[in-house]
């Protein structure tokens, strides 16, 4: 993998962010393109490699060792414990020398043996820094959010200033500062040369014990709720010129394939830098600069969405599209790909694209309409998106495309371009179908494999410049489902990501990682009626659901009748209403939806997802019984 | 499955405890032996069965419908919302009539529209109860721990008393009461006939938002940290005579196979009843009574532990036992089972017992030494443990045994009985081996499949009458590991359970769900030295670990030399010290450990588990390279 940068700040990652042994982690960090690592002590202790071997390995991989961490519970303790601490420190300094690491992270003490005495803490840290200096090592003191007495960055800075040693400075960690709600603006008064190290982590806003929050739920920048752009701006404005380093403790990342995590991690950092270059101070913008990164595309809707089918599912998918009033308007010149259209909704049915590993019917590609596909693809590449090798004939369009973490291809298109993707299709003689009033693709729903949810959100956000909407969680029949949708400002591209809160076991729904394409209608009741006339098999919604709906919302009788008759579902919030219906599952895991948004309803009817899932299960079961009979 | 009880209180379970559709849940509850269910509204809404069909289905399954729940945000609201609430209620009362459910759970309001006015709340609930009475329905009012104004049971009782209607009473939920730290002793002053319903849930002690804690982390009684024995005692003492019902929201149970969850659930209830019959008030003891449940066995150590081997792993296992100085003392008369002994440690090596599904080498059985094996087996059966069918010849011992949730067989034995299990073995002519100073089995370590951890802890606790020790969590190379050990008071039977915090995905350690047997030595250094002389391959522990140990603990040089020389690990706490070493993994997932406890150290060296795991991975990798070469 190429590194994204040759200039600008160094980018590092703590080994604790990644799963595996130290060896696995170093390889993953290097291959993603990081410049350096923080060595988390436990990773070294479990390694059979000597510090010298680790140093050599890092050098071979092009990684510097920027920090050794953590050294704990040292300062402001009684004399015997100070002695023991210094003894421990000497051993660690020896390890650092062997590793070639020149900075050690010292966390503020959580020990019951520490006392509330800043002068003593400063004196002890001064002593530690003097000892460190003999080895050419610097001490970066960090206030843990749950430190016994020192738990804010300004407090740690007072102690470091009082400790007054050239080898004593601060480590700032965004989690420890932002999780406590501290105002980070005071960072600007800390001299840049006293900022020895910077650890970046995001996190969702959770109301829980801060230690547990920190140890289990950190995220890479941009995946959580913290304002890291402002934070990094402040740190760079203060004059920090060390590495931008990620330190993320996360239960999911701890067990997922480290190569992908490392790519997500670096992508998050580059995206964070980009955001600083857009809004930060002049000094911060200069320091955060990224060469040659095109701006995010101005997305103008979906150019098309592709469903990969196999011999068995093709008839189902094509039948459902016909039932929804789509017209098979064109055929690819060289591949078994049909184009189906209605309004601005375009679906490719690709009989050569089903996942070869699983033979699954799936949403295999999204194509995003935008002004400059080449620049967008270049941006994606700079953000570490794998460029998809496409075979195309000399006279066919060379579509710019990349692969999302779960394997979905993302194309950048201009449908109206002269040599655009439509050029590869020959029109069919089919007369325009009847239509059911569908205008465009409203959203695409992609259930992510368990390990890829946060990474997928980051991917779409970063590559396409989309913004996350409100996350949600719903109790579905076979376990909790978490969802996060991301969209452009104009809501022309909406991608609804979801994932099971726990990785599925053997007891689980029959549809794994379902995916769907939702079409927008301006009159979903009329759309449903027409679709039924065209013979579409609508997913049947149970009477109990409609009875409850009637009791909850006191909807007009006429509307209730329509909802019942056409198996529609309904949701409402402060901003508007949402009506929607579904097809059964087509093939292994794809279904279609038709939605109508009334007013400014911005959601996706997630509250109805459990009803839909149970209905899908019933339908598939009945279907199987029928086939078996 | 037989129901365990024909007398005593009814036992019920809320459908929300179990995974699946309503149909799956009802079958699971009935098959486990529950008498009734609470129907959780969302389960009904997603069902295609009418309320009448659900009623019929429950009747056919032998289940009563004891509660319909929840009805929310009703009381102390402005007039228009009261009207809307009553309209909703009428529809729900209709559903209840069709279901044949005579009680509706009404949760204290969390709505911003509710006001802090007990009189108004009482008036509204009185009105609701009057309406309910017309349908022959009772209202059970419950204070949610996060209710806007009403969030304690005593407050809900004041309102119910003021509401003064025969069809208005209380629902007590142990979670809502104990999670807030409320003193439950006031329950005794509530008239029993006003206690309409009782929901039981346990939970681990967590420091987090109570709503999230409730919705994600509840457990079945005995699986958490709450004193449910006292709670149930108080409720029964007050005169409650309705069902004992479980309402547990748990992320893991929501996605695990519901039949096993329902068995765990019922087992937890019976065990809870048993604990009340031991310590509760006279009235509570009488109400909680369980017919024909023998007392927990007085365990006296492990009689034996069995390792199932296959053709490839047998040599490794037998080689390791020989290397540890065990003697192959006897051979089973009819099966390919060897008995290996040293001190009181007895290991069966069973060449016919490896898991037929996976061909895995595994700890296939534990045998617990106790005075009355027949009574213990009967107890286990009464506690829903599956009795293991064993083939044995007429002249062989009919060993009483049951199966733990993960498939491990648990035998009840008297080794010194005349017709005991040893009777089935013929002594070998082998001379007594050299020994390495091993005295007995210290503990057995069983990694559980993801869905079975809490159920396994409950199983061993309940069937064997063991007590849980402190839970722990450790960051291992491939993800977090959670552990809980359970032991008898004398610490002669210790079982260390562990599980990965997230279900393993494709990126994971090479050893899945490892299991081990740990032997107790009084001088582990001598044991290691002798074992090495006997040719045992010790698991190699890296120098980095020992270097850190030296820095942390300032151990005597002589001891450090020994630890390094024999690849020993070390831990220390306030009560004592722990030294231990391991063999490599034998076959697919079994290894052996030798431990020495100094002082009153009661742990298992969990802090060293990540080092051990990384070492096991290295060893297997090297081993494979060697075999491939």
């Amino acid at each position: 993998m190429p590194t994204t940068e040759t200039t600008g700040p160094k980018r590092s990652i703590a080994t604790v962010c990644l799963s595996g042994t130290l060896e696995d982690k170093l390889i993953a960090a290097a291959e993603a393109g990081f410049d350096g690592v923080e060595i988390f002590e436990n990773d070294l202790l479990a390694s059979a490699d000597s510090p010298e071997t680790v140093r050599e390995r890092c050098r071979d991989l092009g990684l510097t060792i920027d920090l050794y961490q953590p050294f704990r519970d040292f300062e402001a303790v009684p004399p015997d414990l100070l002695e023991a601490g210094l003894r421990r420190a000497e051993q660690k300094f020896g390890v650092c020398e062997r590793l070639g690491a020149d900075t050690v992270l010292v966390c503020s003490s959580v020990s019951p043996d520490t006392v509330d005495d800043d002068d003593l803490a400063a004196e002890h840290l001064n002593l530690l820094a003097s000892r460190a200096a003999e080895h050419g090592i610097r001490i970066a003191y960090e206030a843990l959010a749950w430190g016994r007495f020192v738990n804010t960055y300004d407090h740690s800075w007072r102690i470091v200033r009082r400790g007054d040693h050239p080898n004593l400075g601060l480590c700032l960690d965004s989690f420890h500062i932002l999780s406590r709600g501290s105002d980070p603006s005071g960072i600007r008064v800390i001299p840049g040369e006293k900022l020895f190290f910077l650890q970046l982590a995001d996190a969702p806003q959770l109301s829980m014990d801060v230690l547990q929050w920190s140890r289990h739920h950190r995220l890479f920048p941009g995946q959580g709720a913290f304002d890291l752009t402002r934070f990094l701006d402040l740190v760079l404005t203060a004059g920090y010129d060390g590495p931008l380093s990620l330190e993320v403790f996360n239960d999911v990342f701890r067990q997922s394939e480290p190569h992908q995590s490392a790519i997500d991690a670096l992508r998050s950092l580059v995206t964070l830098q980009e955001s600083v270059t857009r809004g930060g101070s002049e000094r911060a913008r200069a320091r955060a600069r990224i060469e040659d990164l095109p701006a995010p595309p101005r997305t103008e809707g979906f150019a098309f969405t592709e469903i990969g089918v196999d011999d068995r599912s093709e008839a189902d998918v094509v039948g459902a599209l016909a039932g929804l009033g789509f017209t098979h308007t064109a055929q690819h010149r060289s591949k078994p790909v049909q184009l189906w259209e209605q309004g601005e909704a375009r679906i490719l049915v690709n009989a050569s694209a089903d996942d070869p590993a699983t033979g699954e019917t799936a949403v295999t590609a999204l194509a995003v309409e935008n002004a400059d596909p080449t620049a967008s693809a270049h941006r994606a590449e700079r953000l570490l998106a794998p460029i998809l090798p496409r075979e195309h004939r000399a006279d066919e369009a060379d579509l710019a495309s990349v692969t999302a973490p779960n394997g979905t291809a993302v194309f950048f298109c201009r449908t109206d371009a002269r040599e655009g993707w439509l050029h590869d299709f020959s029109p069919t003689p089919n007369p325009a179908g009847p239509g059911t009033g569908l205008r465009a693709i409203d959203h695409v729903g992609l259930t992510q494999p368990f390990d890829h949810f946060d990474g997928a959100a980051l991917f779409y956000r970063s590559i396409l410049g989309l913004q996350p909407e409100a996350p949600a969680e719903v109790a579905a029949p076979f376990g909790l489902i978490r969802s996060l949708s991301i969209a452009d400002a104009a809501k022309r591209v909406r991608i609804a990501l979801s994932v099971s809160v726990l990785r599925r076991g053997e007891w689980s729904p029959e549809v794994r990682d379902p995916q769907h394409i939702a079409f927008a209608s301006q009159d979903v009741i009329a759309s449903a009626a027409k679709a039924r006339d065209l013979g579409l098999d609508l997913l049947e919604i149970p009477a109990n659901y409609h009875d409850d709906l009637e009791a909850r919302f006191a909807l007009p009788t006429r509307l209730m009748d329509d909802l019942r008759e056409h198996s529609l579902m309904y949701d409402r919030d402060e901003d508007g209403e949402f009506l929607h219906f579904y097809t059964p599952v087509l093939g292994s895991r794809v279904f279609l939806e038709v939605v109508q948004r009334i007013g400014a309803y911005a959601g996706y009817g997630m509250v109805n997802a459990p009803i839909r899932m149970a209905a899908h299960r019933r339908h598939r079961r009945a279907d199987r019984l029928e086939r078996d009979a």
Side-chain angles (χ1 to χ4, degrees), chain A residues 522-583:
Chain A
Q522 275 174 311
D523 182 350
V524 72
I525 294 168
S527 296
K530 281 188 203 155
R532 292 176 73 195
D533 287 346
L534 291 171
L536 183 71
D537 184 15
L538 266 62
L539 182 68
E540 203 171 321
I541 301 303
N544 295 335
Y545 168 80
H546 288 117
D547 292 349
D548 177 66
L549 209 57
E550 189 164 20
R552 275 196 292 145
F553 292 122
L555 298 174
T557 311
R558 171 78 189 279
L559 177 58
M560 278 310 312
D561 289 347
D562 284 335
L563 296 179
R564 286 193 168 100
E565 185 182 345
H566 300 300
S567 254
L568 291 169
M569 303 218 272
Y570 178 88
D571 189 28
R572 184 156 91 188
D573 65 14
E574 315 80 75
D575 301 316
E577 294 171 289
F578 188 66
L579 284 77
H580 53 147
F581 71 86
Y582 293 98
T583 69

Side-chain angles (χ1 to χ4, degrees), chain A residues 43-329:
Chain A
D43 286 320
L44 181 70
L45 300 189
S47 171
D49 292 333
S50 69
E52 290 82 357
T53 305
V54 172
R55 175 186 198 153
E56 225 170 280
R57 190 185 295 275
C58 285
R59 199 186 48 218
D60 293 348
L61 289 167
L63 295 170
T64 53
I65 299 179
D66 299 320
L67 190 78
Y68 185 77
Q69 62 126 328
F71 190 72
R72 297 182 193 277
D73 295 336
F74 171 79
E75 78 282 15
V77 293
D80 56 328
L81 294 179
L82 177 65
E83 269 317 301
L86 288 170
R87 191 170 38 73
R88 272 193 298 139
E90 282 295 341
Q91 195 265 337
K92 299 305 169 195
F93 295 154
V95 170
C96 286
E97 284 186 299
R98 295 166 68 196
L99 283 171
D102 70 354
T103 309
V104 172
L105 176 75
V106 175
C107 301
S108 63
S109 179
V110 300
S111 163
D113 294 315
T114 196
V115 296
D116 186 11
D117 183 335
D118 288 0
D119 286 327
L120 192 64
E123 185 186 316
H124 288 178
L125 289 170
N126 176 289
L127 184 57
L128 187 66
S130 314
R131 298 286 180 87
E134 292 167 19
H135 301 266
I137 287 168
R138 306 187 308 167
I139 299 298
Y141 183 57
E142 172 185 72
L144 296 179
W146 54 91
R148 179 116 193 263
F149 298 112
V150 181
N151 42 45
T152 59
Y153 76 90
D154 46 323
H155 194 175
S156 61
W157 166 232
R158 287 198 300 277
I159 291 172
V160 163
R161 192 169 44 186
R162 214 169 292 179
D164 190 26
H165 193 286
N167 286 50
L168 178 62
L170 276 187
C171 172
L172 296 181
D173 179 312
S174 62
F175 181 88
H176 291 296
I177 295 170
L178 301 176
S179 65
R180 293 183 55 102
S182 298
D183 177 1
S185 57
I187 289 172
R188 288 170 304 177
V189 305
I190 306 173
E193 69 273 14
K194 278 302 197 184
L195 297 177
F196 281 7
F197 209 77
L198 173 64
Q199 292 177 321
L200 292 164
D202 203 341
Q205 204 52 257
L206 296 174
S207 166
M208 67 189 299
D209 175 66
V210 69
L211 173 61
Q212 295 303 318
W213 186 16
S214 171
R215 294 267 169 89
H216 297 277
H217 303 286
R218 290 186 181 205
L219 291 168
F220 293 127
Q223 293 181 327
F226 291 165
D227 185 353
L228 287 180
T229 302
R230 174 155 184 259
F231 182 84
L232 180 56
D233 174 29
L234 291 166
V235 175
L236 296 179
T237 302
Y240 175 70
D241 65 358
L244 310 185
S245 189
L246 297 167
E247 190 200 30
V248 170
F249 302 83
N250 178 290
D251 290 3
V252 175
F253 305 161
R254 277 186 190 278
Q255 56 82 59
S256 34
E257 198 281 308
H259 188 89
Q260 182 63 48
S261 297
I263 289 172
D264 290 347
L266 190 57
R267 179 177 295 142
S268 81
L269 259 188
V270 177
T271 308
L272 176 62
Q273 280 179 255
E274 183 187 37
S275 69
V276 170
T277 61
R278 281 205 223 112
S281 74
E282 197 177 326
R283 187 177 196 182
R285 288 203 308 273
R287 286 185 188 275
R289 77 177 180 288
I290 309 158
E291 304 285 333
D292 186 27
L293 179 67
R298 285 184 41 205
T299 49
E300 297 164 20
F302 289 101
F304 64 80
T305 303
E306 179 185 85
I307 303 175
V309 295
D310 59 21
D311 292 349
R312 287 160 304 162
S313 65
E314 181 169 352
D316 286 348
V317 170
V318 160
L321 289 171
L324 281 170
F326 277 77
T327 305
H328 176 196
T329 53

Side-chain angles (χ1 to χ4, degrees), chain A residues 361-419:
Chain A
T361 304
V363 174
T364 40
L366 308 176
V368 172
E369 192 78 55
N370 68 313
D372 189 347
T374 310
S376 299
H378 183 56
R379 171 187 175 79
E381 191 175 6
R382 296 281 298 150
L383 287 165
L384 307 166
I387 300 294
L388 204 63
R390 300 291 285 194
E391 286 178 20
H392 64 98
R393 299 194 317 205
D395 59 341
E396 288 175 0
D398 179 13
L399 289 176
S401 71
V402 294
T403 311
N406 73 332
T408 308
V410 175
F411 288 84
F412 302 98
C413 294
R414 278 206 61 174
T415 300
D416 60 5
R418 253 183 359 138
E419 300 290 302

Side-chain angles (χ1 to χ4, degrees), chain A residues 40 190 205 317 342 363 410 426 439 443 464 488-489 509-510 531:
Chain A
F40 187 69
I190 306 173
Q205 204 52 257
V317 170
Q342 180 172 183
V363 174
V410 175
S426 312
R439 296 180 304 115
H443 66 273
L464 298 181
D488 57 2
E510 291 164 3

